[in-house]
Amino acid sequence: MATEFDNSLHWGLFLTGTTLTSETGKYVRVSELVLSALRAAGVFSNMVDGIVAPATDKLWLDKNVDPAVLKEWDATGASWVPISYGRLFGRAAVDKLTVTGGTGNAVVVSQPPGFQADRLYLMTPTANNSAATTITVAGVGSYGVKYGNGADIAATEFTAGRQAVLFFTGVRFEVVFPLSGLSSAVLAAQASASAAAASQGAAAGSESAAAASASAASTSATNAANSATAAANAVAALPYNFSTTTTDADPGAGIFRLNNAAPGSATAAYIDNVDSDGVTAAGVLDTWDDSTTAVRGVLTIRAKMSATIRHTYNVMGSVVDGTGYRKLTLAYVGGAGALANGAAYWLIFNRNGDNASGDVTGPGSSINNGFARFNGTTGKVIKDSAAVIAIADGGTGQGTAANAFNALKQDASTTATGVVELATAAEVATGTDTARVPSVSTMGSHQGMAKAWVNFNGTGTPAIAASFNVSSITDNGTGDYTINFTSALVDANFACSVATYGNQGGTNDYRAHGSPKAFASSSVRIQCGRADEASSAVLDPVAVHVIVMR
């Protein structure tokens, strides 16, 4: 029978095979009170007598050898193995998985001591993953790597040289801190966990510090996730998980799907009425077709784990009630990244305005052939804004506001729609279209407006330099001219101002003057002479300026 250790009032558990009295021997002394408590809790089996191994979830004081050896069960099921001093009192908060080979998508690691379920493991990949990934533990088996919701990890979740914290459930590895939720605090916690795993002989205080760091990291990750949620909510995003199924049917609570496996080829989306937070979203989804434009708005599908995975679509036509889910008609715009089955996404919608053409409408107006129609079905539209000044106050010199409205002309090409147009700015300014521009005669009652003016050379044959409402100059003789109007005035009761100059600065230097001589509704006759002599000799001035006001 194996020796029972009794040193005064203590039990001793040998760990290195040395004697209890050896000063250099490594052993553990535990008071009888502590051992009694452990026995009562069922942590230890076979404490004193017996040789049958206990259940594999307990520690075993193997008394089949002398001195007795404290053992734990190896996860491979091969054997019971001695538990070291460091394993017993300095067990790390996170065990380490050492990568020995494989690829980015099929990692191979060595089996750590005491490999078992419900434990955290730290692994540093040697290559990036590009799709769904597995980890093969030497001597144990191969396991898939998932997110907490069961979805396969996304591309680059495993990045060469970046430590990953994994939780082994017994059937798969789960990523504790996804790439999208990492922060500086998380990286610091991983570094602490790595240091703790490398120092298996550290004291229990190191284990406590590592656990505190992991807790702080978890809090930081939670805060980061909350911040991401708040940011997404700021742009009216709905949370959903993606399904690769393409069937037109209710995808299930919290799920959405497309009608094509390739995001760029999808033309429809099927979205459950309840989002992944358990909130009913049908009312929100039904507003996505409220715009009166053909393109109701823009839908962006963005992965929660990585903002670089996103796809944008134009939402076309009406939102259809599929009974328990909503159907959208889509037109792909662009994007990048694969949509992973079961992964979490934001559905972000931006609504278009009701009048995408940019036309401005007013009270009682409607849209007809792309133009705003005012005053109901008999309304008018201004197609040439340059003519608005003429309507306002005749500021172009063409008449009163009332007369300016006479410039409105029915557009023959749109008679049935009641659309009319104004004269162009050039037509208003020059009066070249009497059908749409008020004539001089119709403007006759507008005082303060020039009804005609002309600048011409009076020597030789009169030559007009510039004019308005003047058709020609009649030379009646020396210094005698008739100014003929293009459009007759309403009567002959107008005022005429004449200004002239002679050959000043030349060899025959002289000054000239002019005045009106005879008035008619269609013309005005003027006479010019020298102003530097006592005589009133007539002459042909170098320049003559005439302004007619009515």
Side-chain angles (χ1 to χ4, degrees), residues 1-7 11-12 20 47-49 63 66 68:
M1 181 176 177
T3 303
E4 294 180 0
F5 308 102
D6 184 1
N7 180 15
W11 293 88
L20 179 65
M47 285 295 298
V48 179
D49 298 313
K63 302 174 74 71
D66 191 1

Side-chain angles (χ1 to χ4, degrees), residues 15-16 42-43 67 88 91 112 114 142 175 205 255 259 271 363 412 449 498 520:
L15 297 177
T16 60
V43 175
L88 181 60
R91 186 183 299 272
S142 181
V175 177
I255 306 295
N259 68 340
I271 308 172
M449 304 290 293
V498 181

